[in-house]
Amino acid sequence: MKSFGLFVGLLLAVGIRAAPSKDCEHNVKEAVTPPRGWSKVKPAPADHLIELRIGLPQPKFAELEQHLYEISDPFHERYGAHLSKEEVEDLIAPHEESVSAVDEWLADYGFASHELSRSPAGDWVKVRVPVSLAEDMLKTEYHVWQHEETGDAIVRTTTYSLPVHLHGHIDVVQPTTTFARLRGMKATYHYADEQDFIVDIAQPTIPIPSALNGQVNASCNASITPTCLRELYNIGNYTPQAADVNKIAATGYLDQYANFEDFHDFFAKYVPEATNATFDVIYINNGTNNQSLAAAGVEANLDTQYAFGLSYPTPATFYTTGGSPPFIPDDTTPDNTNEPYADWLAYILSDPSPPQTISTSYGDNEQTVPYSYATRVCKELAQLSARGVSLIFSSGDSGVGDGDSDPATQQCFTNNGLNETKFIPAFPASCPYVTTVGATWYIPEVTYYISGGGFSNYFARPWYQELAVPHYIKNLNTTYEGLYNASGRAYPDVAAQGQFFWIFDGGDNSQIGGTSAAAPTVGGIVSLLNDARLANGLPALGFLNPLIYAVGAILPDAFNDIVGGSNPGCGTEGFTAEVGWDPVTGFGTPNFGKLLDIALGNLGGLLEF
């Protein structure tokens, strides 16, 4: 026995393993039913390159979440004490055993530890492999899948396996089973119909008690500009004072380019005091920002012109992330670069000083993102929030539906193989660590029927919603029982105007709308609040939701409550907008003057309760 033990020791000393991981028993790690609308086209080319992202467990994430909630709770003594990049990374770092186990598995396939790409915390490992090797590693088969409506094509599998001993050391491997298209949720913008409304030019102003000086120019009823938003949301002539430290950003994907000529034309006409304004561009994953007017992106132009127009002269950044089109089915050796959102997250988490406010108008149906991957992405967002970043997302333009047909006739089905009829929540809008924005229109404001809203099927209701959401559900009674998850994270949190926005796009001055207009509007307003706090020696607001729900319960006049109307879909009228919070417009639209008092005046009396 002694000599056998010595022999085994010698084998190990020279790096020989009797049973490499690739020869061990494999069990299925994840399997999904392909989402509706996707068809299998053909086997993926063997030499097609995939960048596998391997997510290792984050054993202390619950501790990070506790920190996040404490520093975001206006009633907590730690309010505003945001974590540093290093503190966050320490809290999400994997156990060394997990790192070693994954490294050994990859070494069996010829990848030395120093050749691997790792996230700063080590919780993600990336390795670039051809399909043939990925299929061997994951004991699966990749195919080209095509979306029937859009023609988008991706290389995916519906199931993959890992060695049994690795199941506890790997949370997720992608791209494998995620069919999300990171779209604007049926394009989170809608062109205005000029016949929707006729302005009564005989009435020069509209009385709005919460607005600046109690009134709004009547033209704003069907013609939104930065001036209208400043009047309507009581911003007035507030001018940023902390441009040396405060920053704002908007994200761009899917070949959406922010055009500088359009930007300058917009400012010359609608923000003339800022004619020379500009913004920085950061290029991620071979992202580009084509400046041909013909290539101008309406989404990118809308986001930058309004988020940066409202917050000028706050330094602004546009992130352009490559990764579109996803794949050309006839190509034999393209790169599979259709997960740009993961690339943006990897970049922004590595930034030691990210912008304090970031607006994003992209997402997809929650059910197209596997639960394992959605939870990991949501945890990435929690990391940013814990570092003091206010993350703003649009809620989608499909009401309670999936956006694939007319709201009145949609048939909404689950992707779990049971074809159950359910409302379809959106992601990342449903993540509990971000602030999600619905839409209103007209003045006085009313519910914009496209406003995405509902309840997550993946994420439980967070503590900050424990007062507002159960109250709404109680009043809802049995209406739509079984069509939504009453215990899920509810959204949106707030709302803003979402139609008739004047922009410059491709050299043309035109109108546009959707929750893609509402999100950058709220982003610009949040940036102004952050500016005020920073200028007064206070930390940025960071994760907003605990504050929003406290304000909504105690000082509701800080939001303009929207009552009446609904967000139809799935063959129903959808949820209705009620007094207080509702899953159509959240707590309503912002009153900047009131929120500014709250942000600066010891939280406006909140601590007295």
Side-chain angles (χ1 to χ4, degrees):
M1 292 295 293
K2 183 176 181 179
S3 61
F4 178 75
L6 178 62
F7 175 68
V8 172
L10 289 172
L11 289 179
L12 293 175
V14 297
I16 299 174
R17 282 184 244 123
S21 294
K22 62 182 180 180
D23 296 329
C24 293
E25 179 186 357
H26 283 59
N27 280 353
V28 172
K29 177 65 175 178
E30 187 167 43
V32 301
T33 301
R36 297 173 63 85
W38 287 96
S39 298
K40 187 186 296 185
V41 177
K42 63 180 181 180
D47 55 356
H48 173 78
L49 293 176
I50 294 176
E51 187 173 66
L52 287 180
R53 288 180 168 87
I54 303 164
L56 281 61
Q58 301 165 337
K60 293 194 289 185
F61 178 79
E63 186 178 343
L64 175 105
E65 183 184 52
Q66 180 180 350
H67 283 293
L68 170 61
Y69 283 147
E70 288 180 357
I71 63 180
S72 306
D73 180 357
F75 300 107
H76 200 281
E77 62 183 3
R78 293 183 62 204
Y79 181 69
H82 308 307
L83 302 184
S84 68
K85 176 175 180 289
E86 293 73 23
E87 288 171 328
V88 167
E89 289 169 359
D90 180 65
L91 288 167
I92 52 100
H95 286 313
E96 188 56 42
E97 309 91 89
S98 296
V99 176
S100 297
V102 172
D103 282 2
E104 289 174 7
W105 174 56
L106 294 174
D108 287 336
Y109 291 92
F111 298 100
S113 177
H114 68 275
E115 297 175 326
L116 304 175
S117 174
R118 305 179 193 274
S119 62
D123 58 326
W124 285 100
V125 177
K126 293 192 295 185
V127 59
R128 197 174 183 80
V129 300
V131 159
S132 57
L133 181 54
E135 290 180 332
D136 185 26
M137 295 171 66
L138 303 175
K139 300 299 182 280
T140 189
E141 293 181 356
Y142 278 89
H143 285 80
V144 176
W145 294 78
Q146 192 157 28
H147 191 259
E148 297 162 2
E149 180 183 354
T150 65
D152 289 349
I154 55 178
V155 171
R156 292 291 185 270
T157 181
T158 56
T159 181
Y160 68 94
S161 299
L162 291 171
V164 173
H165 75 279
L166 285 180
H167 278 238
H169 297 297
I170 294 177
D171 278 348
V172 62
V173 180
Q174 291 293 347
T176 51
T177 56
T178 178
F179 285 78
R181 291 180 288 141
L182 190 68
R183 56 195 172 104
M185 295 174 261
K186 194 62 175 179
T188 49
Y189 47 82
H190 286 262
Y191 286 97
D193 183 342
E194 294 180 359
Q195 297 179 353
D196 276 340
F197 188 83
I198 300 175
V199 178
D200 180 7
I201 60 176
Q203 182 181 0
T205 62
I206 302 171
I208 303 292
S210 61
L212 182 69
N213 298 322
Q215 60 187 17
V216 177
N217 190 292
S219 66
C220 298
N221 214 322
S223 179
I224 295 295
T225 67
T227 299
C228 289
L229 296 173
R230 283 182 168 270
E231 288 183 2
L232 178 62
Y233 296 140
N234 195 22
I235 300 171
N237 60 358
Y238 178 88
T239 302
Q241 310 159 61
D244 56 332
V245 291
N246 194 31
K247 295 182 289 185
I248 186 172
T251 62
Y253 306 94
L254 311 179
D255 294 339
Q256 280 285 320
Y257 307 128
N259 187 273
F260 283 105
E261 183 176 338
D262 285 333
F263 187 80
H264 294 145
D265 288 345
F266 176 84
F267 271 61
K269 183 169 184 177
Y270 298 115
V271 196
E273 68 274 18
T275 301
N276 297 321
T278 188
F279 55 89
D280 293 329
V281 179
I282 292 181
Y283 304 87
I284 302 169
N285 187 36
N286 300 314
T288 57
N289 197 34
N290 189 331
Q291 289 302 292
S292 164
L293 284 175
V298 64
E299 179 75 72
N301 279 341
L302 172 63
D303 291 347
T304 54
Q305 288 169 23
Y306 276 87
F308 304 165
L310 287 173
S311 58
Y312 173 83
T314 302
T317 299
F318 175 65
Y319 295 105
T320 175
T321 304
S324 178
F327 181 77
I328 302 174
D330 292 335
D331 281 1
T332 56
T333 58
D335 292 346
N336 196 32
T337 57
N338 64 317
E339 291 198 281
Y341 194 60
D343 290 306
W344 178 78
L345 279 170
Y347 174 87
I348 197 67
L349 285 169
S350 68
D351 187 344
S353 181
Q356 290 90 344
T357 310
I358 303 177
S359 176
T360 298
S361 296
Y362 297 81
D364 205 352
N365 298 335
E366 186 183 71
Q367 64 177 357
T368 66
V369 186
Y371 174 78
S372 62
Y373 191 51
T375 53
R376 279 302 292 243
V377 168
C378 195
K379 288 179 178 180
E380 309 273 295
L381 298 171
Q383 294 173 45
L384 280 173
S385 294
R387 290 173 57 186
V389 179
S390 298
L391 295 169
I392 313 297
F393 281 82
S394 57
S395 69
D397 290 2
S398 305
V400 295
D402 61 4
D404 286 339
S405 60
D406 182 86
T409 59
Q410 286 174 350
Q411 297 298 313
C412 303
F413 300 101
T414 60
N415 286 333
N416 58 8
L418 301 178
N419 283 337
E420 299 169 305
T421 299
K422 298 276 189 180
F423 291 161
I424 308 297
F427 181 81
S430 63
C431 174
Y433 311 121
V434 305
T435 298
T436 304
V437 184
T440 62
W441 61 347
Y442 299 129
I443 300 171
E445 292 183 276
V446 296
T447 297
Y448 190 5
Y449 64 87
I450 60 120
S451 185
F455 299 79
S456 173
N457 290 319
Y458 285 176
F459 305 104
R461 181 191 307 142
W463 66 269
Y464 57 78
Q465 292 190 322
E466 282 299 342
L467 179 63
V469 173
H471 176 75
Y472 181 88
I473 292 174
K474 180 180 179 180
N475 290 339
L476 195 62
N477 203 353
T478 59
T479 304
Y480 304 142
E481 190 171 21
L483 292 179
Y484 71 99
N485 175 23
S487 62
R489 186 280 205 250
Y491 71 94
D493 305 298
V494 293
Q497 283 281 312
Q499 185 56 288
F500 309 121
F501 278 56
W502 283 105
I503 66 167
F504 274 85
D505 183 58
D508 295 328
N509 192 195
S510 56
Q511 284 184 291
I512 200 168
T515 53
S516 277
T521 295
V522 170
I525 292 172
V526 169
S527 184
L528 295 180
L529 294 172
N530 277 332
D531 172 88
R533 284 179 62 84
L534 292 167
N536 283 272
L538 299 170
L541 290 169
F543 179 44
L544 300 167
N545 291 7
L547 177 62
I548 288 172
Y549 283 79
V551 170
I554 299 170
L555 302 169
D557 61 348
F559 298 103
N560 309 310
D561 197 9
I562 310 299
V563 180
S566 66
N567 56 351
C570 304
T572 76
E573 290 300 312
F575 296 110
T576 56
E578 305 289 347
V579 174
W581 180 90
D582 54 70
V584 188
T585 60
F587 278 109
T589 60
N591 182 327
F592 177 78
K594 295 286 187 179
L595 291 171
L596 183 61
D597 289 340
I598 291 170
L600 296 181
N602 194 27
L603 298 174
L606 280 179
L607 298 182
E608 298 174 7
F609 289 83

